[in-house]
Amino acid sequence: MPSLHRRIVRIVLALTAPVVLALSLAMDLLVSDLAWRQCDDALASRTRDLSTLLEREPERYEFEYDERYVPEYSVGRAAFFEIRKIADNSLVARSTTLGEAALTPSSPGDPPISDVMLPDGRPGRAMTLRFIPRLDEDVSVEDAPKYQDEVVLVVAVETDGVTSELARVRAWLWTLCGLALLVATGAAVFAARSGLRPLQYAAAQLATVDARQLGQRLVLAGVPSELRAPLEQVNGLLERLEQAFAHERRFSGDVSHELRTPMAALRAVLQLALSRPRDAADYKSSITRAAEMVEQIVGIVERLLLLARADAGQVKGRLVEVALRPLVEERWFVLRDRAAARELVLVDELNDDDTVVTDETTLLVVIGNLLDNAVTYTERGGTIRVRRPPGSLLEVWDSGPVPTAEARSRMFDRFWRGDVARSGDGVHVGLGLPLSRAMSRAVGLDLVALAVDGGLGIRICTRGESPST
């Protein structure tokens, strides 16, 4: 594919060349027509001048012509004339340039001026004029009718001069046409290079951007308005990339930090078990503690993998009508012993006919995480409610403590735990709510945290809609 700069030049030439050629052709035709008009006007003037020199006398024609005063009809010149009487085609007068040759007049009704071949073989133009010569003053009025004989005058001139002049003008005209196209080409090249220079500068700036310099932005000073919008989009893309890379770096650091503690504990337990001989009961206790730590590590890794799949758009749901109450009961059955240990009470306010169209597996995971989060962080002896407020699909509410507004805005960040979260059992690592939000968004839903009715409500709503408080 040709470069943009070549395409611009080609487009400019494609638009300019026909216009320049058409103007040149029109000018050529105009100049040619003007030159031939001037030639014919001069020929007509010659013919009229010669016709005024012929006079009819009683016995003969008097042609008051002297080559000394009209040298263009003398031998060696390129003008010819001949006068004949129409009645009997008898010769009245002719130029010496004509010699023994004759000029053929045009037929009546034909154009008076036409192209002819001159006696010397060159091309020329000839004019035919039929007229009655003026009468001599000696002719009486009574005799005038019998002397009013009509004659035909033919005047011919060579056209080599006009043709050669037109050829010279045409050569200059088409030379100027070629120069105009060259100038247009140069102007198009200059305009294209000047117009694309900001893009070349932007490309040079982008060439210096790498993963360590994502904070760099394109300089837009002096950029034309037509290029500013796409380059601003490039700057926006760089900003999003910078944020994404920063997020991934924080995520990698958080993963390392969260895995370091259980793995260090696992290593300590195993080293302690191997430090000296022990009986079977001690080994069993150490292996049991190590297995619990491995389960904790496996849980973190599995959630990370599921979260990565959700971020990559690999969580594909099958939309069906799902009854909410059975899902809540199924997930609460798993958590009932932990809730009883913390003296927590579940109030299920859902109706049996409360349904939603979504992916059942995804919604089951999300509800399970929300209930697990509530069981973990609700103060001892508190209440957990599951209900369906207006504008939401479902809400898991707990009696508190209620996180601050800043904490509520960050509680869906990965590995983030506020002061309230630290009062939990220490098992959670800040992946439940981020995972729930990612999976919800994968099927067109979203999660929001609200301080409502003196407690914390985490609502499932349709993505893009603001839930009612």
Side-chain angles (χ1 to χ4, degrees):
M1 179 178 293
S3 66
L4 182 58
H5 136 270
R6 290 185 179 177
R7 292 177 64 185
I8 292 175
V9 172
R10 289 180 181 176
I11 291 173
V12 171
L13 286 181
L15 296 176
T16 304
V19 175
V20 173
L21 292 175
L23 289 176
S24 299
L25 181 59
M27 186 65 69
D28 187 342
L29 295 175
L30 181 63
V31 171
S32 178
D33 181 69
L34 180 61
W36 286 115
R37 282 180 181 273
Q38 290 178 345
C39 176
D40 290 346
D41 290 343
L43 178 59
S45 178
R46 287 170 177 265
T47 305
R48 286 191 297 268
D49 290 343
L50 286 175
S51 68
T52 61
L53 299 179
L54 184 63
E55 184 180 70
R56 183 69 163 90
E57 295 181 353
E59 301 297 333
R60 64 187 182 88
Y61 289 94
E62 178 67 25
F63 189 50
E64 301 172 350
Y65 164 75
D66 191 340
E67 284 189 353
R68 293 176 299 174
Y69 303 108
V70 193
E72 59 264 31
Y73 298 105
S74 58
V75 177
R77 299 305 177 99
F80 309 82
F81 73 84
E82 183 178 73
I83 304 175
R84 288 183 179 272
K85 190 176 177 180
I86 293 180
D88 57 6
N89 198 35
S90 59
L91 181 64
V92 176
R94 64 167 51 181
S95 64
T96 57
T97 55
L98 197 56
E100 298 299 324
L103 294 176
T104 302
S106 61
S107 302
D110 290 341
I113 299 178
S114 61
D115 292 321
V116 297
M117 187 65 68
L118 299 178
D120 56 7
R122 291 180 298 168
R125 298 277 284 175
M127 179 174 179
T128 301
L129 177 63
R130 292 173 174 82
F131 68 98
I132 298 175
R134 59 185 171 84
L135 296 177
D136 186 80
E137 58 186 13
D138 295 336
V139 178
S140 63
V141 176
E142 293 80 8
D143 295 334
K146 66 180 181 181
Y147 295 118
Q148 291 182 342
D149 299 324
E150 190 176 19
V151 299
V152 58
L153 168 63
V154 182
V155 180
V157 296
E158 58 86 18
T159 55
D160 287 344
V162 177
T163 304
S164 60
E165 190 65 22
L166 280 177
R168 188 176 66 87
V169 172
R170 187 173 289 113
W172 274 105
L173 184 62
W174 290 105
T175 299
L176 291 176
C177 173
L179 290 176
L181 290 177
L182 287 177
V183 171
T185 302
V189 171
F190 175 78
R193 288 180 177 175
S194 299
L196 296 177
R197 190 170 292 118
L199 280 180
Q200 296 171 348
Y201 180 59
Q205 295 181 73
L206 286 174
T208 64
V209 177
D210 56 24
R212 295 169 296 178
Q213 295 179 323
L214 289 175
Q216 183 176 339
R217 299 292 180 268
L218 300 181
V219 179
L220 302 182
V223 173
S225 58
E226 294 83 358
L227 297 179
R228 180 173 292 272
L231 293 183
E232 286 177 346
Q233 294 296 325
V234 173
N235 277 342
L237 176 62
L238 289 175
E239 182 176 357
R240 292 191 294 273
L241 285 175
E242 181 184 16
Q243 294 174 354
F245 271 69
H247 176 77
E248 293 304 320
R249 283 193 290 268
R250 289 195 303 271
F251 180 71
S252 299
D254 291 339
V255 169
S256 301
H257 175 76
E258 294 298 333
L259 290 177
R260 183 183 300 116
T261 299
M263 293 184 71
L266 175 62
R267 182 175 59 184
V269 169
L270 294 177
Q271 288 176 344
L272 181 62
L274 295 173
S275 62
R276 59 182 178 81
R278 300 175 182 273
D279 56 24
D282 288 340
Y283 279 126
K284 182 178 180 180
S285 175
S286 297
I287 292 173
T288 300
R289 291 175 59 193
E292 292 174 352
M293 295 175 185
V294 169
E295 285 297 323
Q296 183 179 355
I297 294 172
V298 170
I300 294 174
V301 173
E302 287 179 345
R303 291 196 175 194
L304 286 173
L305 291 175
L306 188 55
L307 188 58
R309 290 182 57 224
D311 287 344
Q314 297 177 357
V315 176
K316 303 297 182 182
R318 186 173 64 91
L319 300 183
V320 295
E321 187 175 15
V322 180
L324 295 176
R325 192 180 186 95
L327 292 186
V328 173
E329 292 175 350
E330 178 181 343
R331 301 313 297 168
W332 183 255
F333 182 80
V334 178
L335 300 169
R336 70 187 188 284
D337 292 338
R338 284 177 51 202
R342 303 192 69 235
E343 302 175 1
L344 301 176
V345 177
L346 174 69
V347 179
D348 188 350
E349 299 180 358
L350 295 175
N351 298 321
D352 292 336
D353 58 353
D354 283 337
T355 60
V356 63
V357 177
T358 187
D359 178 65
E360 183 174 5
T361 303
T362 299
L363 187 60
L364 183 64
V365 173
V366 172
I367 292 176
N369 281 336
L370 297 185
L371 290 174
D372 184 278
N373 190 75
V375 169
T376 301
Y377 300 129
T378 302
E379 59 188 354
R380 178 177 291 274
T383 302
I384 299 173
R385 296 181 185 275
V386 181
R387 56 192 182 184
R388 192 172 190 178
S392 300
L393 304 182
L394 184 141
E395 177 186 79
V396 176
W397 177 92
D398 63 68
S399 56
V402 181
T404 63
E406 179 184 1
R408 291 196 302 273
S409 67
R410 296 195 57 194
M411 61 193 313
F412 295 103
D413 294 347
R414 301 170 188 179
F415 297 110
W416 184 87
R417 289 176 294 183
D419 292 338
V420 174
R422 298 180 192 280
S423 63
D425 57 10
V427 174
H428 286 235
V429 295
L431 284 175
L433 291 181
L435 176 61
S436 298
R437 169 173 276 187
M439 295 190 66
S440 297
R441 289 180 172 179
V443 294
L445 304 177
D446 204 354
L447 296 184
V448 293
L450 300 171
V452 59
D453 297 338
L456 174 67
I458 300 181
R459 296 182 179 179
I460 307 174
C461 57
T462 303
R463 190 171 186 181
E465 296 183 1
S466 299
S468 303
T469 57

